[in-house]
Amino acid sequence: MKEIYADSFETVVWLGPPDEMSYMAFSKIISLSESWNERPTYLKTRALNGHLQEYTNFLRSEFSGEDPIQPWHAVHSLSSRAWFQRAWVVQEINVAPTTIFLCGDRAVDMVDLLNTRQVIVQHCGCMEMATDFKIIGMKEVISSVLMISGMWQDLGESIVRYRSQTSSTAGSSLIAALDRLRFKYATEPHDKVYAARGLAGTDGQMTPVDYSLPIKTVYASMAQRLIHASQSFYILAYCHYPPKVLDLPTWAADWSDTSCPHRVALPQEGFQYHESLNQEKVYHTTKESEFYVRFEHGNRTMVVKGAWFDRLAFTSSSGIRSYGIAGVPQQKGLDIQAVARDAEEANQTTMDYIAITHKAKWLREWALFLSDQEATSFPMIDRTGWSFNPDVGRETFKQPFYSPTEEDLLSAYLTTLIADVMVDQDKGHEIRVPSTQEYISWVIQPEISLEEVFSFRLEGRAFAVSDLGLIALVPAEARAHDLIAIVQGSDLPFILRPSGNGFSFIGQAYVHGIMDGETWSLVEDGTVPLEEIPII
């Protein structure tokens, strides 16, 4: 199939039979694409820098006509068509020389869709500033189109990645392809893996096509091959506990599950990061220890060597749900009530973000949990002379001292929240910046949406504190009494839960103060024993 599309002169995508809404949508997309091309460079940003009136003129023209809202509803309706949500389409678009989208006698190309997406993103970030031009329903319809059009951006970025991919680490291009297909739909669950196979170059050869195999075997075998080929545990970043596929090992990602959180993988060695990202600073919890893994019991049990380091004592409420982020599955069809509901929920998402960061919501949850604990608990957090007052702002958390990194607890907490944020080095920042406040001030510059950056990365995560008082960013599925293990050859700690004759893999974690091998020396000198850990 891949060769057919690759050898074609042009690929024509038929989006289904035309109707009044599709004609309106195509006209609007062409109009918006032309409008984006007409914008001067200084207006192609969310930082308007004194050009608000010029932007307002474009906004006014793009919401003109007898019914200025309806064409935007039409764009939403077109984007909801089933083609955009299928797994195989990513391969078709990636390998084809050029692609046009057809509905009736109307056609647009990929550039038109991406230009329209740029307009939508800009309006979402800037329309509130245009105080002299308001239309009822304008904000709500832009929010809904932003959510559904995220898949256009996904396709565009996928094309760029595919055509420029250079794989220095075995398995990395297959992992990247699987990531792009994570929230796409497929008739057969096998198709997620086999569609990714066609996008992965030579990496795809490690996944033979065989629809007769049970899906649990396909997913587990692929995970095993990727772990061996890459000599890393990076693929475990995509696991979600518990997997929906019956009897699938917890160390194998369930690619059929489109409802799982879109957790951003924590920075670690061996993955194919974008070239603009600083790739020198990744986590090395076990330093440069030799990679070790073996599989037993018909490849159902993954055995690693690790050390039991600590146990979770407290876990917060789960991470916020992100809205308007490319890759998150969206509703089908246009439902005005659902759009309004999503807009209201998106506002709540913003409030949740503000609570978690600026009001230290998760720290407050922990402080309330403290009332039931012994005064000597959490020894790594020095609370001498401190008592929590819920009426005081987050500054109250500057008094407790976090001894592993020798800083106040609030600073340690804020650094933990951005543990999985990789920063563009062109901005003068690295993956893990020396100053949390410096990073936050960079993020809130007008051209970047604070809510988008943080809500995306906190989705599916929770805040945790261990028995020793180490603070961590953990999967939302983690619970008190889950165990923290540092595993030989793994850049990240594992969260594991006793289960039968072994342990269930809950996910990877960031534990503030041990991510650069600070505790691995205890294993090296024999203070903490290394043992085999069976993960089932």
Side-chain angles (χ1 to χ4, degrees):
M1 184 66 73
K2 174 184 175 182
E3 288 72 20
I4 293 175
Y5 286 98
D7 292 340
S8 67
F9 172 74
E10 182 177 68
T11 293
V12 178
V13 174
W14 184 67
L15 294 177
D19 55 27
E20 183 178 349
M21 292 289 274
S22 68
Y23 284 125
M24 190 182 300
F26 271 71
S27 297
K28 189 64 176 176
I29 289 169
I30 292 171
S31 170
L32 291 172
S33 179
E34 293 174 349
S35 179
W36 183 255
N37 286 330
E38 291 170 4
R39 280 167 166 76
T41 302
Y42 58 79
L43 273 185
K44 293 183 176 182
T45 176
R46 282 183 279 187
L48 298 177
N49 297 326
H51 302 289
L52 179 59
Q53 188 54 54
E54 287 182 79
Y55 163 74
T56 303
N57 292 338
F58 277 100
L59 178 65
R60 196 184 304 273
S61 69
E62 288 157 11
F63 277 89
S64 59
E66 186 175 331
D67 186 351
I69 300 296
Q70 189 63 13
W72 293 92
H73 286 327
V75 172
H76 186 289
S77 178
L78 185 76
S79 303
S80 301
R81 295 203 174 200
W83 184 88
F84 288 103
Q85 302 177 52
R86 305 295 296 175
W88 282 107
V89 306
V90 179
Q91 183 185 123
E92 296 166 8
I93 291 292
N94 279 203
V95 302
T98 59
T99 305
I100 62 170
F101 300 86
L102 191 67
C103 196
D105 60 355
R106 304 293 175 90
V108 295
D109 60 22
M110 197 71 218
V111 173
D112 291 324
L113 294 183
L114 295 177
N115 283 348
T116 299
R117 169 71 179 177
Q118 297 272 37
V119 172
I120 294 165
V121 169
Q122 185 184 55
H123 286 338
C124 218
C126 297
M127 64 167 50
E128 290 294 305
M129 292 185 278
T131 55
D132 61 341
F133 180 71
K134 300 289 182 185
I135 293 178
I136 295 175
M138 182 170 69
K139 179 180 177 181
E140 290 75 15
V141 76
I142 282 291
S143 295
S144 68
V145 177
L146 177 76
M147 288 189 286
I148 199 71
S149 66
M151 60 189 73
W152 302 351
Q153 183 171 323
D154 273 355
L155 288 173
E157 291 176 353
S158 177
I159 292 170
V160 172
R161 290 192 196 104
Y162 176 77
R163 295 179 182 177
S164 63
Q165 68 180 357
T166 55
S167 179
S168 58
T169 304
S172 61
S173 60
L174 179 56
I175 294 173
L178 287 164
D179 183 47
R180 296 199 292 274
L181 297 175
R182 185 72 188 270
F183 297 103
K184 295 291 185 181
Y185 294 95
T187 304
E188 294 289 337
H190 300 65
D191 288 343
K192 286 285 187 73
V193 171
Y194 298 152
R197 182 181 187 272
L199 297 172
T202 56
D203 281 352
Q205 297 173 8
M206 68 176 67
T207 309
V209 177
D210 187 348
Y211 279 90
S212 68
L213 294 173
I215 192 59
K216 64 179 181 181
T217 303
V218 174
Y219 289 172
S221 296
M222 185 191 62
Q224 180 189 355
R225 292 189 184 101
L226 281 169
I227 289 168
H228 277 310
S230 65
Q231 290 290 283
S232 77
F233 295 108
Y234 191 92
I235 191 64
L236 302 186
Y238 297 94
C239 294
H240 179 254
Y241 182 84
K244 287 189 173 181
V245 170
L246 187 64
D247 292 331
L248 182 67
T250 58
W251 48 264
D254 181 357
W255 300 102
S256 68
D257 185 3
T258 58
S259 64
C260 63
H262 194 166
R263 268 196 292 265
V264 176
L266 292 159
Q268 51 192 297
E269 199 74 60
F271 190 66
Q272 206 173 346
Y273 293 114
H274 190 277
E275 61 182 9
S276 70
L277 296 175
N278 185 309
Q279 298 176 46
E280 296 177 2
K281 295 269 187 147
V282 296
Y283 301 124
H284 293 291
T285 304
T286 59
K287 299 182 180 179
E288 300 297 329
S289 60
E290 183 181 359
F291 181 79
Y292 175 88
V293 70
R294 76 172 192 275
F295 293 87
E296 296 180 341
H297 306 129
N299 294 330
R300 286 194 47 79
T301 301
M302 179 176 73
V303 180
V304 299
K305 285 184 179 179
W308 298 113
F309 183 71
D310 205 353
R311 185 182 69 164
L312 299 184
F314 162 82
T315 55
S316 72
S317 56
S318 61
I320 52 184
R321 171 76 185 268
S322 66
Y323 282 79
I325 302 297
V328 177
Q330 311 293 351
Q331 70 220 44
K332 295 183 180 181
L334 183 64
D335 181 337
I336 300 301
Q337 291 182 340
V339 168
R341 210 164 45 240
D342 282 346
E344 181 180 352
E345 202 162 345
N347 288 336
Q348 184 60 48
T349 295
T350 302
M351 294 305 296
D352 284 349
Y353 161 71
I354 292 171
I356 288 171
T357 54
H358 297 298
K359 297 182 181 179
K361 174 186 174 185
W362 281 344
L363 272 181
R364 289 175 180 275
E365 290 180 10
W366 168 75
L368 292 172
F369 170 80
L370 276 176
S371 61
D372 297 328
Q373 306 302 305
E374 296 291 335
T376 56
S377 60
F378 307 114
M380 294 289 185
I381 302 175
D382 184 355
R383 309 193 306 279
T384 304
W386 178 74
S387 61
F388 173 61
N389 183 344
D391 296 326
V392 177
R394 73 174 188 174
E395 300 301 304
T396 184
F397 294 107
K398 284 190 174 181
Q399 186 175 345
F401 185 74
Y402 189 69
S403 59
T405 52
E406 299 185 342
E407 60 186 326
D408 65 80
L409 182 59
L410 179 61
S411 295
Y413 170 74
L414 292 175
T415 302
T416 299
L417 291 186
I418 61 171
D420 51 3
V421 176
M422 295 190 70
V423 183
D424 193 326
Q425 60 189 354
D426 294 338
K427 298 288 185 180
H429 297 271
E430 298 181 341
I431 293 170
R432 285 170 291 159
V433 295
S435 166
T436 303
Q437 294 301 326
E438 181 186 15
Y439 177 75
I440 290 178
S441 68
W442 173 75
V443 173
I444 61 176
Q445 290 178 6
E447 67 266 28
I448 297 173
S449 165
L450 185 68
E451 290 79 15
E452 285 179 5
V453 169
F454 274 85
S455 66
F456 186 32
R457 284 164 172 78
L458 290 180
E459 184 187 0
R461 296 199 188 277
F463 174 70
V465 185
S466 74
D467 285 343
L468 290 174
L470 292 167
I471 65 174
L473 197 64
V474 299
E477 307 92 273
R479 297 291 180 266
H481 307 302
D482 285 345
L483 303 172
I484 302 174
I486 49 177
V487 174
Q488 182 174 313
S490 173
D491 293 329
L492 305 171
F494 287 7
I495 304 297
L496 301 174
R497 184 176 301 167
S499 177
N501 295 322
F503 298 86
S504 292
F505 179 78
I506 307 301
Q508 298 169 323
Y510 171 90
V511 182
H512 192 51
I514 74 165
M515 301 304 293
D516 288 311
E518 293 90 339
T519 57
W520 187 246
S521 58
L522 298 175
V523 174
E524 292 175 322
D525 66 17
T527 303
V528 176
L530 196 65
E531 61 183 78
E532 292 195 340
I533 302 173
I535 303 176
I536 58 177

